[in-house]
Amino acid sequence: MYKALRGMNDILPGVSRIWQDVEKNAISVLRQFGYSEIRTPVMEEKGLFVKSVGGETDIVTKEMFSFRDRGERDVVLRPEGTAPIVRAYLEANLHKTDPFQKFYYIEPMFRSERPQAGRLRQFHQIGAEVIGSLNPVVDAEIILLLAAILDKNGIKDYTIRLNNLGCHDDKIRLSGALKAQLSDKEVLLCDDCKKRLQKNPLRVLDCKKDSCRNIARSALKSIDFLCENCKNHFAGVKECLKGTSAEKKCVDDPYIVRGLDYYTSTVFEVSHPALGAQDAIGAGGRYDNLVKDMGGPALGAVGFALGVERMLMARSKDTAVFKGSATVYVATIGEKAAKEGFKITNELRIAGIECNMNYEGSSLKSQMRDADKLGSVLTIIIGDDELAKGEIVLRDMRTKEQISAKFTDMLKTVNEKLKTYSL
Ligand code: HAM
């Protein structure tokens, strides 16, 4: 028997319903904030990520699903969404019509990591990107948007860890100072970090090994690298967040450096107790040089991506798990009633009401159990008596009260009853 590839999961019925809810909630918030959907191909040229995410990062050196296509091109399954969106933005010349654009995406990403809880090889991100502004108010909007999506999905116990990495020059200054300080301790670093120290010392700060990270963190403490402009920008972001619902969720964390090279200035990660210490539910920040580095004009940009699988892990801790998928359940006794029930089910569905019934002639008791399991708020019951009278019995699952209604009044009666529920 074939099995799904390691780290790549099927999303089965029941669970897919929860995904739809999470995505629907996210889309409604994204629209409220004025973001438009963008969809890019699953495959891209490898060079796109080498140039943007960085040739020395874990994603590029170890984690991309990369291969030669039939035309001898090096292609990869996209490991993240930001670089493809900048590519699409420039390719479609969107900067020429209106440089300021707000995008969102809900898409699968691929990284060949060692699979474990919350770490997959095919995972899904809900992301947002704003291109065309250096204004700190846009950083604040992005953070508020991220918080609103989590809130709307009932995820409560999260923390947004904020930092400022500095501009291009600040990062060079930080990198040099870090290299100087870590050189003395090189023997204590892992083999990967020894290489990182030569090529990109900042990456030692997000090594997966605690020992390397701790050495780099203690070195970082004594380095003052932020220019006045970046300090003011960081203060500006916090000023914009003041008094908002997300302010309480934000804490400063000087150790947030992010594992992708395109970041400058504001960076953040969102942690949640349902996930381990190193795994974030989402993350993002500014990438003010990326549009220019990819051949476009100099334009500021900021964005984030939330991991959907990790949102679900947090959600199941914070909220009751979704139970049902039928607002109205049609329970029937006998073959003739089943035929009438089938017609009624169809009529309700066409009228836009989520409706389900059992086709297997199961006992009334087991159908009522189904109705409960599916979270139905009303159950229609039809047996021989009802058929003879041309009526249905309508049971309110909350109050257990039952009323009768003529077949001809069925839709009207169901709608009236449903109005008493705030669905
Ligand atoms: P990232 O930190 O690499 O950033 O990924 C963002 C989120 O995707 C993570 O916080 C996590 O929730 C989820 N994620 C990453 N890898 C995995 C995995 N192997 N399994 C499950 N979930 C995972 C980015 O991708 C940036 N493009 C975010 C961004 C957008 N920055 C600016 N704009």
Side-chain angles (χ1 to χ4, degrees), residues 53 59 63 79-83 105 109-114 116 118-125 127-129 258-260 262-263 268-270 275 279-287 301-311:
V53 172
I59 293 180
E63 295 169 3
E80 63 100 49
T82 310
Y105 50 98
M109 306 291 161
F110 302 84
R111 294 185 196 172
S112 184
E113 296 192 74
R114 186 198 291 268
Q116 51 182 268
R119 187 174 296 162
L120 294 153
R121 291 184 170 168
Q122 176 175 338
F123 60 98
H124 298 76
Q125 288 185 342
E129 314 286 349
R258 309 289 295 118
L260 300 85
Y262 53 61
Y263 288 110
F268 51 86
E269 282 182 8
V270 188
L275 304 157
D279 283 326
I281 195 167
R286 280 205 159 265
Y287 43 97
V302 57
F304 70 81
L306 288 162
V308 178
E309 286 82 359
R310 295 188 189 176
M311 283 174 74

Side-chain angles (χ1 to χ4, degrees), residues 66-81:
S66 102
F67 53 96
R68 283 245 147 124
D69 72 2
R70 288 173 194 263
E72 294 294 299
R73 284 169 294 252
D74 283 321
V75 295
V76 296
L77 295 180
R78 67 169 170 233
E80 63 100 49

Side-chain angles (χ1 to χ4, degrees), residues 17 19 29 62 82 85 97 101 118 135 137 165 177 188 200 251 253-254 260 265 270 283 295 341 359 372 404:
R17 177 60 191 254
W19 279 67
V29 175
K62 299 183 194 163
T82 310
I85 283 159
T97 39
Q101 304 264 348
N135 196 327
V137 76
L165 266 187
L188 303 173
N200 191 345
V251 296
D253 186 338
L260 300 85
S265 185
V270 188
Y359 297 138
D372 254 345
S404 296

